[in-house]
């Protein structure tokens, strides 16, 4: 009997893995691509790179070759090294904004949706923030301080919080009308316990999906801010400021924009694929049709 069990277990495991891959192919592709980008960022010093800010005017504007894989820019800096190190900035901004934005939006949305007298006050503030284009609001917030990675994260987080608040509030407004919530209130359960025990678990799935889209949006916003000169400082290589420095040379050295733009697109694509895959996997209505 023990032998039969040991022979069946690998077959069952392989069948489960194959079934999961077939049902959630989009999620698997997104996760693998995102892990590849994260590995590239973490292992950048060991992937044949040099100092990304080292200037060598004698090597300026060298086209892609065996020696300079992505070419060199107008200061002689290695574009391959700058592109790989730039992944650290985009991923740091995307993940940080996704974590802080969803956490802050979740806290505000839970309280706002459940405590009726706060709803009107807080949502008018959120409506006011959402009426301002996110990039303009981020530029205004950065202009009040100074250009740094931390301030870019804070500025983009402020622009993303209202989206999360509106999502969580709409969920809470629906959940607080459920019979089990009414029963908890009738039993004298404290508001904090109702929120954490009955409301919060039902918001996790849509919050995870929303967090992936916030991550992708934050990376694009950071690239836009850096491209406009309002993002990370020039001494920190990021995909946005790499493309910004190369815009005047596009006609004679288009590779300076092509490579960082390609990696930015692939990273955003991977995060969006993860979000779509999570939505399909966590939505029971979609799961039944797969």
């Amino acid at each position: 009997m023990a032998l039969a069990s040991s022979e069946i277990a690998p077959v069952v495991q392989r069948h489960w893995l194959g079934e999961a891959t077939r049902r959630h192919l989009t999620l698997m592709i997104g996760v693998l691509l995102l892990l590849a980008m994260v590995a590239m960022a973490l292992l950048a010093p060991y992937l044949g790179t040099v100092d990304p800010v080292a200037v060598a005017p004698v090597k300026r504007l060298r086209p892609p070759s065996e020696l300079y894989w992505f070419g060199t820019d107008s200061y002689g800096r290695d574009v391959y090294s700058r592109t790989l190190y730039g992944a650290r900035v985009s991923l740091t901004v995307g993940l940080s904004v996704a974590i802080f934005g969803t956490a802050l939006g979740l806290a505000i949305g839970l309280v706002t949706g459940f405590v009726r007298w706060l709803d009107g006050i807080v949502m008018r503030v959120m409506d006011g923030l959402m009426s301002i284009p996110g990039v303009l609001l981020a530029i205004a917030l950065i202009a009040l301080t100074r250009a740094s990675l931390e301030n870019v994260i804070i500025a983009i987080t402020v622009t993303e919080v209202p989206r999360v608040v509106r999502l969580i509030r709409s969920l809470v407004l629906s959940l607080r009308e459920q019979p089990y919530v009414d029963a908890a209130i009738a039993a004298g359960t404290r508001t904090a316990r109702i929120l954490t025990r009955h409301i919060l678990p039902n918001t996790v799935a849509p919050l995870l999906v929303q967090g992936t889209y916030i991550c992708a949006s934050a990376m694009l916003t950071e690239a836009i801010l850096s491209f406009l000169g309002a993002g990370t400082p020039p001494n920190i290589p990021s995909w946005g400021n790499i493309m910004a420095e190369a815009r005047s040379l596009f006609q004679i050295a288009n590779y300076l924009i092509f490579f960082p733009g390609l990696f930015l697109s692939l990273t955003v694509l991977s995060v969006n694929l993860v979000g779509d895959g999570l939505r399909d996997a966590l939505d029971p209505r979609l799961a039944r049709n797969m």
Side-chain angles (χ1 to χ4, degrees), residues 72-289:
T72 60
D73 63 9
S74 57
Y75 296 98
R77 296 172 296 191
D78 184 47
V79 179
Y80 169 74
S81 301
R82 291 177 63 77
T83 300
L84 264 61
Y85 277 94
R88 295 184 171 186
V89 174
S90 289
L91 290 171
T92 298
V93 170
L95 293 175
S96 299
V97 171
I99 293 172
F100 297 144
T102 54
L104 185 58
L106 174 63
I108 298 175
L110 283 175
V111 177
T112 300
F114 198 81
V115 182
R116 298 177 185 273
W117 64 270
L118 277 177
D119 186 51
I121 301 173
V122 175
M123 292 314 300
R124 298 298 75 77
V125 175
M126 296 298 116
D127 291 341
L129 291 175
M130 293 187 69
S131 67
I132 306 173
V135 174
L136 294 182
L137 180 58
I139 291 175
L141 293 173
I142 293 174
L144 296 175
T145 55
R146 62 182 180 86
S148 67
L149 185 60
E150 295 79 8
N151 290 336
V152 169
I153 292 174
I154 294 172
I156 301 177
T157 299
V158 172
T159 65
E160 296 291 346
V161 165
R163 300 184 187 182
V164 183
V165 172
R166 291 187 69 90
L167 171 66
I168 299 302
R169 171 185 173 270
S170 64
L171 292 172
V172 174
L173 288 177
S174 175
L175 292 170
R176 74 181 185 185
E177 304 299 332
Q178 298 298 316
Y180 57 85
V181 175
D182 291 335
I185 295 175
T189 307
R190 293 183 178 179
T191 300
R193 183 168 178 80
I194 294 175
L195 290 175
T196 57
R197 183 70 179 270
H198 301 290
I199 304 294
L200 180 60
N202 292 289
T203 65
V204 172
L207 188 65
L208 287 176
V209 177
Q210 183 69 18
T212 60
Y213 296 139
I214 289 177
C215 180
S217 175
M219 288 190 285
L220 288 174
T221 303
E222 183 278 324
I224 293 172
L225 292 175
S226 297
F227 190 83
L228 296 175
T232 54
N235 63 320
I236 301 177
S238 73
W239 291 331
N241 59 32
I242 293 173
M243 291 187 285
E245 294 171 356
R247 58 188 168 188
S248 61
L249 303 171
F250 178 75
Q251 293 183 343
I252 62 175
N254 53 20
Y255 59 86
L256 295 177
I257 292 180
F258 173 76
F259 289 111
L262 176 63
F263 277 79
L264 175 62
S265 300
L266 289 176
T267 306
V268 173
L269 174 63
S270 67
V271 176
N272 284 331
L273 288 176
V274 171
D276 290 341
L278 285 174
R279 181 198 61 192
D280 296 342
L282 297 175
D283 191 331
R285 293 170 297 179
L286 294 175
R288 286 195 297 268
N289 295 327

